[in-house]
């Protein structure tokens, strides 16, 4: 997730204070990993330095003055380019899951036991995401679907790997 570009996109929607940007980011994009205020304001500072946002209003607040940030043409052009660019399809060829299976086999440990534990962990997480999907709004459901589809792919890989453990053991123990 590109925090600077996401904040720019939120600013293109409407000029906002840092507090509002954090709230909107956390609501739509920060599930389980909200932004800290420090990260929001540091990012806004860099965006201002780079000419992508400007401060339009400064209002007194209970603490520091509240600054309203506005996207510039440079920032809007960057958001346009980012939104038009497809995300690089990542096949995740360097995963921890794969490394643990191969190392287990190399070290003479049970990769099948590890894969059984991992399958159980995946299924528990899928149950949690299914509950989020059932109880949440459309944004929650879409995020849960994204996670569920990735977990389903992992489960398919786990089943395929269990079926190939004998051959894989010979391959990695050479």
């Amino acid at each position: 997730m590109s925090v600077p570009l996401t904040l720019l996109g939120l600013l293109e929607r409407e000029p906002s204070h840092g507090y509002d940007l954090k709230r909107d980011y956390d609501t739509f994009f920060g599930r389980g990993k909200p932004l800290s205020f420090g990260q929001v304001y540091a990012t806004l500072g860099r965006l201002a330095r780079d000419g992508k946002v400007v401060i339009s209003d400064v209002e007194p607040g209970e603490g520091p003055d509240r600054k309203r940030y506005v996207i510039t043409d440079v920032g809007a052009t960057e958001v346009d380019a980012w939104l038009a660019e497809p995300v690089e399809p990542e096949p995740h060829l360097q995963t921890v899951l794969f490394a643990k299976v191969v190392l287990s086999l190399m070290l003479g440990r049970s990769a099948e036991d590890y894969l059984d534990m991992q399958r159980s962990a995946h299924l528990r997480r899928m149950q949690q995401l299914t509950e989020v999907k059932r109880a949440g709004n459309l944004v929650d459901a879409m995020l849960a679907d994204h996670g569920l589809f990735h977990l389903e792919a992992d489960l398919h890989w786990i089943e395929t790997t269990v079926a190939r453990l004998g051959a894989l053991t010979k391959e990695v123990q050479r």
Side-chain angles (χ1 to χ4, degrees), residues 4 139 156:
V139 171
H156 180 72

Side-chain angles (χ1 to χ4, degrees), residues 12-91:
E12 185 173 322
R13 181 186 60 169
E14 65 183 351
S16 300
H17 296 101
Y19 175 86
D20 298 323
L21 290 169
K22 178 190 172 3
R23 180 200 62 222
D24 291 348
Y25 182 97
D26 291 350
T27 297
F28 292 103
F29 311 109
R31 295 297 191 330
K33 193 173 182 183
L35 289 179
S36 69
F37 281 106
Q39 185 176 6
V40 171
Y41 290 108
T43 301
L44 288 169
R46 286 190 299 278
L47 292 171
R49 177 199 67 207
D50 296 341
K52 298 173 185 173
V53 301
V54 294
I55 298 168
S56 69
D57 303 330
V58 178
E59 305 164 3
E62 291 181 16
D65 290 341
R66 292 176 37 101
K67 300 172 186 171
R68 184 179 307 277
Y69 294 86
V70 177
I71 193 169
T72 64
D73 289 342
V74 172
T77 299
E78 188 165 331
V79 170
D80 283 341
W82 181 59
L83 291 176
E85 180 182 303
V87 173
E88 184 68 31
E90 293 289 331

Side-chain angles (χ1 to χ4, degrees), residues 22-170:
K22 178 190 172 3
R23 180 200 62 222
D24 291 348
Y25 182 97
D26 291 350
T27 297
F28 292 103
F29 311 109
R31 295 297 191 330
K33 193 173 182 183
L35 289 179
S36 69
F37 281 106
Q39 185 176 6
V40 171
Y41 290 108
T43 301
L44 288 169
R46 286 190 299 278
L47 292 171
R49 177 199 67 207
D50 296 341
K52 298 173 185 173
V53 301
V54 294
I55 298 168
S56 69
D57 303 330
V58 178
E59 305 164 3
E62 291 181 16
D65 290 341
R66 292 176 37 101
K67 300 172 186 171
R68 184 179 307 277
Y69 294 86
V70 177
I71 193 169
T72 64
D73 289 342
V74 172
T77 299
E78 188 165 331
V79 170
D80 283 341
W82 181 59
L83 291 176
E85 180 182 303
V87 173
E88 184 68 31
E90 293 289 331
H92 304 291
L93 295 178
Q94 298 285 334
T95 69
V96 174
L97 180 58
F98 176 77
K100 285 185 171 189
V101 169
V102 171
L103 284 170
S104 292
L105 295 173
M106 287 178 169
L107 300 172
R109 296 188 179 128
S110 175
E112 189 164 4
D113 288 348
Y114 168 71
L115 289 168
D116 286 343
M117 288 187 313
Q118 190 62 56
R119 182 186 303 105
S120 294
H122 270 59
L123 291 171
R124 280 191 304 276
R125 183 64 177 137
M126 289 176 81
Q127 288 171 336
Q128 293 167 347
L129 289 174
T130 300
E131 179 57 27
V132 166
K133 186 177 170 176
R134 188 191 65 70
N137 59 28
L138 182 58
V139 171
D140 294 331
M142 297 299 296
L143 287 169
D145 278 343
H146 189 265
L148 285 164
F149 296 151
H150 281 274
L151 292 169
E152 286 173 5
D154 282 353
L155 285 174
H156 180 72
W157 182 85
I158 287 169
E159 297 307 319
T160 302
T161 302
V162 167
R164 295 178 177 168
L165 278 177
L168 185 58
T169 301
K170 290 176 187 172

